[in-house]
Amino acid sequence: MSKIKNAIVCGAGGFIGGHLVKKLKEEGYWVRGIDLKRNEYGNEHADDFIIGDLRDPVVCENLFDRNIEEVYQLAADMGGAGYIFTGEHDAQVMHNSATINLNMAESSRKHGVNKIFYSSSACMYPAYNQEDPDNPQCSEDSAYPAAPDSEYGWEKLFSERLYLSYNRNYGLNVRIARFHNIFGPLGTWDGGKEKAPAAICRKVAQAKDGGEIEVWGDGKQTRSFLYIDECVDGVRRLMKSEFTGPVNIGSDEMISINDLVKMVAGVAAKKITIKNIPGPTGVRGRNSDNQLIYEKLGWKPSLPLVDGISRTYSWIKSQVDLSR
Ligand code: NAD
């Protein structure tokens, strides 16, 4: 019989963390989750859920009162464009997320964990390669010379380098993924930290048939969006592999924001008019380049965007209906 593995998931009260804990439990892990808050939608499956602040090194140390084989570091001060690109939260984002990573890298080293996963972001890619909405460049080797378009992206780049340094100097076994716009049920859908797919699903769910919704920017900016189950699958495959990364975990089905609205309206069977208004949008184009993940893991995500949108819309519509 194989021994049960113990894992810590930092950010377990968040969107991806909640889904990841569920997956680890299904795989037979003992899981300790930690977060500043509980999961808003009850997606809590950890054996032990600690409410704690990972900016406090003592809190981080105390997580290791038993032998821990794997750490998944997903905690970060983050949100969608309305949070990241206004500049109002820059100091907070950099300070909070960097402190969490400094603490967790050090505690994981001290306590000899076998492997630590770090969730970086496509936001670390240079803005100069993402000015053409039809042809963005986001292959892993295009990261330098660095020029992320937000402090959130700079912090991610710093922390990638932090974990890679721990790997080189202390032999800490790290795995790094650059997530590209993860979406799905049980994620933030209102309140200001929601991202484009959730915000659009909410606006369409709230709109009348034949109504109008506001969309930030000219709507011609492009992105790709990865469904949560595929993200979690990618994380597990990376952790089981011998490949350190950084590697993209994202979809390469690129779509403009206006076309995404049309897709959501189609799923909702509503006629919706788009009103493009000024607002924070980030780079003009972004798409995941999946060549490296395919080469290293023999895998890449495959769920069509419309299928993920359809599952997400149903869930957000149920939340909107409940809140009326
Ligand atoms: P999320 O905001 O839902 O989850 C992050 C969690 O970290 C939150 O629950 C938050 O309370 C927790 N946290 C923040 N500060 C903390 C602290 N000091 N101590 C303890 N917990 C703290 O975000 P998510 O979408 O689940 O993202 C998870 C990770 O993936 C983050 O690192 C994020 O930067 C990265 N990422 C996400 C996306 C995406 O599209 N969702 C894209 C790229 C990268």
Side-chain angles (χ1 to χ4, degrees):
M1 221 175 76
S2 64
K3 187 182 156 293
I4 293 179
K5 276 194 192 159
N6 298 329
I8 292 173
V9 176
C10 304
F15 168 49
I16 303 172
H19 285 277
L20 179 63
V21 171
K22 184 159 183 271
K23 171 89 169 173
L24 290 170
K25 283 307 302 166
E26 284 162 6
E27 289 185 32
Y29 277 71
W30 181 90
V31 184
R32 167 171 287 158
I34 172 152
D35 203 297
L36 285 174
K37 60 162 181 72
R38 303 205 73 99
N39 186 281
E40 284 98 322
Y41 310 111
N43 195 17
E44 275 183 25
H45 303 273
D47 298 277
D48 180 26
F49 191 103
I50 296 173
I51 298 289
D53 189 337
L54 293 161
R55 289 170 299 184
D56 180 345
V58 177
V59 168
C60 296
E61 277 298 292
N62 290 342
L63 294 173
F64 295 88
D65 64 356
R66 60 158 73 198
N67 185 42
I68 299 290
E69 280 91 0
E70 293 180 7
V71 171
Y72 294 80
Q73 201 318 75
L74 287 93
D77 193 352
M78 64 99 64
Y83 189 73
I84 296 298
F85 296 121
T86 58
E88 285 164 31
H89 310 282
D90 285 352
Q92 194 186 321
V93 163
M94 293 203 95
H95 175 267
N96 292 346
S97 297
T99 308
I100 294 169
N101 285 310
L102 288 162
N103 288 343
M104 284 310 297
E106 182 58 11
S107 293
S108 299
R109 176 193 73 80
K110 264 204 219 156
H111 295 277
V113 302
N114 293 356
K115 269 185 207 170
I116 177 165
F117 171 84
Y118 173 58
S119 54
S120 181
S121 164
C123 287
M124 50 62 61
Y125 282 115
Y128 57 77
N129 278 335
Q130 302 171 80
E131 283 161 9
D132 176 359
D134 298 322
N135 198 20
Q137 155 73 302
C138 292
S139 60
E140 288 80 351
D141 60 5
S142 70
Y144 297 94
D149 72 337
S150 64
E151 301 305 349
Y152 169 76
W154 277 106
E155 190 283 325
K156 288 292 187 192
L157 198 56
F158 163 77
S159 290
E160 283 189 6
R161 298 188 70 100
L162 171 75
Y163 287 107
L164 290 172
S165 303
Y166 268 68
N167 175 252
R168 274 195 312 278
N169 295 162
Y170 303 130
L172 184 66
N173 200 0
V174 303
R175 298 287 180 275
I176 302 173
R178 294 172 178 160
F179 290 159
H180 289 243
N181 292 315
I182 316 303
F183 76 102
L186 310 177
T188 307
W189 59 276
D190 69 350
K193 279 195 167 187
E194 64 280 15
K195 299 180 141 203
I200 291 168
C201 286
R202 184 197 70 234
K203 288 178 186 182
V204 170
Q206 288 168 337
K208 291 196 182 80
D209 192 13
E212 180 181 83
I213 71 166
E214 292 186 339
V215 173
W216 287 342
D218 63 7
K220 292 180 185 144
Q221 67 273 27
T222 54
R223 291 293 185 277
S224 66
F225 301 96
L226 182 70
Y227 190 66
I228 181 66
D229 292 3
E230 300 222 83
C231 169
V232 168
D233 194 10
V235 171
R236 291 295 299 132
R237 284 170 188 264
L238 181 61
M239 277 299 262
K240 286 180 201 160
S241 81
E242 291 308 310
F243 184 50
T244 298
V247 66
N248 292 329
I249 294 189
S251 159
D252 56 8
E253 185 182 343
M254 192 169 80
I255 187 169
S256 74
I257 297 299
N258 279 351
D259 284 347
L260 181 65
V261 176
K262 288 176 200 160
M263 182 183 277
V264 175
V267 162
K270 285 186 184 177
K271 203 170 160 4
I272 297 289
T273 307
I274 300 170
K275 183 179 179 195
N276 292 110
I277 58 160
T281 57
V283 293
R284 287 300 289 159
R286 177 170 292 154
N287 194 13
S288 182
D289 181 320
N290 288 345
Q291 212 177 317
L292 185 65
I293 195 162
Y294 191 63
E295 189 186 307
K296 296 292 182 186
L297 307 186
W299 173 87
K300 58 186 173 186
S302 60
L303 188 78
L305 178 61
V306 68
D307 293 354
I309 286 292
S310 163
R311 295 176 202 176
T312 308
Y313 181 78
S314 304
W315 180 76
I316 291 182
K317 184 174 181 310
S318 71
Q319 297 295 302
V320 167
D321 291 346
L322 274 175
S323 68
R324 281 194 180 168

